[in-house]
């Protein structure tokens, strides 16, 4: 039985005061989240304060990106060892905003996936098609290409303890959610393509849905058999909404 994971992606949002009240709100209600895993992936600069606040609670924390390099002359970058220093458990890699706005390629994302695993953290590998790709009927080819880049670099076993987030690009931050069936179809496809290589990995890998998941639509999406949680952007910034989603993931 896979343990669902709800992860908040705060993106470039937050402030010292705002984070404190958001985390206070989440922690006040987290006791009702009995079975799902919960995490928040926050801007680098807030990781120390978030770590201090969440230490000893059932909420894990992580980053939204990482460098492929271990250390040295890479101005502005953050290494995996620095995230480990602050006990980050998760790192989002290949978010569509990084692929689109910062030119991250499948190969670079696969390298990031590998360094995160090598450092003992869990990568959340984001994959998903644009609206144009969906309309062209190539959704499956796109997600297969993105996942195969990781498999080619690190082997299918590298996905065993990872998390995949299926995030249709047209649904991210747009308020347009994939229907439960649309999402389920792609999740089932991902699992079936992995099963051709390794049935155990396919059965065990956590596949989150991301893309305008919110307090209203979470229960329906999370009821689908291959949807194992969610990567939540906008709705993770309101404690009440985030908690509603986390509770909907209780199984
Ligand atoms: C995301 O940032 O991964 C995301 C899914 O955002 P939103 O929930 O706002 O669509």
């Amino acid at each position: 039985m896979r343990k669902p994971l709800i992860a908040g992606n705060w993106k470039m949002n937050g402030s010292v005061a705002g984070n404190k009240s958001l985390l206070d709100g989440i922690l006040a209600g987290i006791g009702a989240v009995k079975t799902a895993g919960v995490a928040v992936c926050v801007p680098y600069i807030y990781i120390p304060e978030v770590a201090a606040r969440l230490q000893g609670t059932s909420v894990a924390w992580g980053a939204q990106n990482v460098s492929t390099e271990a250390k040295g002359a890479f101005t502005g970058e953050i290494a995996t060892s620095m995230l480990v220093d602050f006990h980050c458990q998760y790192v989002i890699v290949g978010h569509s905003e990084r692929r689109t706005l910062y030119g991250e390629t499948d190969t670079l994302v696969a390298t990031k996936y590998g360094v995160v695993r090598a450092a003992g953290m869990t990568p959340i590998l984001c994959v998903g098609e644009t609206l144009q790709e969906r309309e062209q009927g190539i959704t499956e080819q796109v997600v297969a290409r993105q996942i195969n880049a990781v498999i080619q670099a690190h082997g299918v076993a590298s996905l065993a303890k990872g998390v995949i987030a299926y995030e249709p690009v047209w649904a991210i931050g747009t308020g347009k959610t994939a229907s439960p069936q649309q999402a389920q179809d792609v999740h089932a496809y991902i699992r079936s393509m992995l099963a051709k290589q390794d049935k155990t990995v396919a059965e065990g890998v956590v596949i989150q849905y991301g893309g305008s998941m919110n307090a209203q639509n979470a229960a329906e999406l999370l009821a689908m058999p291959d949807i194992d949680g969610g990567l939540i952007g906008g709705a993770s910034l309101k404690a009440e909404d985030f908690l509603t989603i986390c509770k909907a993931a209780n199984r």
Side-chain angles (χ1 to χ4, degrees):
M1 175 96 159
R2 295 179 295 272
K3 181 176 172 172
L5 172 68
I6 303 293
N9 173 14
W10 289 5
K11 309 196 190 197
M12 198 173 73
N13 292 295
S15 64
V16 171
N19 300 346
K20 186 180 177 310
S21 76
L22 176 54
L23 293 177
D24 284 350
I26 293 171
L27 291 175
I30 202 68
V33 183
K34 301 282 182 217
T35 53
V38 178
V40 290
C41 295
V42 309
Y44 288 138
I45 187 128
Y46 295 130
I47 288 174
E49 84 186 38
V50 167
R53 184 72 186 93
L54 294 180
Q55 188 85 44
T57 75
S58 59
V59 181
W61 58 94
Q64 302 167 11
N65 185 28
V66 74
S67 173
T68 56
E69 304 296 333
K71 65 175 189 171
F74 302 100
T75 302
E77 293 291 284
I78 296 287
T80 51
S81 60
M82 299 171 184
L83 301 180
V84 170
D85 260 353
F86 288 92
H87 308 288
C88 286
Q89 197 174 327
Y90 296 98
V91 183
I92 298 173
V93 297
H95 190 280
S96 75
E97 286 151 19
R98 298 223 49 96
R99 292 180 190 260
T100 312
L101 303 174
Y102 300 98
E104 294 198 2
T105 61
D106 291 341
T107 311
L108 178 67
V109 172
T111 305
K112 290 189 177 191
Y113 187 94
V115 299
V116 171
R117 277 193 90 239
M121 297 178 289
T122 301
I124 298 178
L125 171 68
C126 298
V127 299
E129 81 289 1
T130 62
L131 184 57
Q132 199 187 17
E133 289 163 337
R134 174 160 283 264
E135 285 170 352
Q136 286 169 358
I138 57 169
T139 296
E140 292 183 358
Q141 285 100 305
V142 171
V143 299
R145 190 200 73 222
Q146 292 168 329
I147 293 170
N148 280 331
V150 169
I151 295 175
Q152 269 156 24
H154 310 294
V156 70
S158 71
L159 291 164
K161 292 206 174 98
V163 174
I164 296 173
Y166 167 58
E167 299 207 297
V169 178
W170 48 271
I172 298 177
T174 58
K176 279 189 214 153
T177 318
S179 70
Q181 194 57 54
Q182 276 176 322
Q184 164 62 24
D185 289 348
V186 181
H187 284 232
Y189 168 73
I190 293 171
R191 221 177 283 290
S192 73
M193 72 164 263
L194 294 176
K196 288 191 189 131
Q197 299 192 46
D198 189 318
K199 283 203 173 66
T200 314
V201 168
E203 270 313 301
V205 69
V206 167
I207 309 178
Q208 300 176 310
Y209 168 78
S212 300
M213 193 189 271
N214 58 40
Q216 284 73 44
N217 61 28
E220 249 195 323
L221 285 158
L222 293 166
M224 301 310 278
D226 287 293
I227 300 185
D228 311 318
L231 184 55
I232 320 295
S236 72
L237 300 174
K238 288 190 196 139
E240 200 185 328
D241 290 1
F242 189 59
L243 283 168
T244 300
I245 298 169
C246 294
K247 282 182 239 170
N250 276 335
R251 283 194 181 147

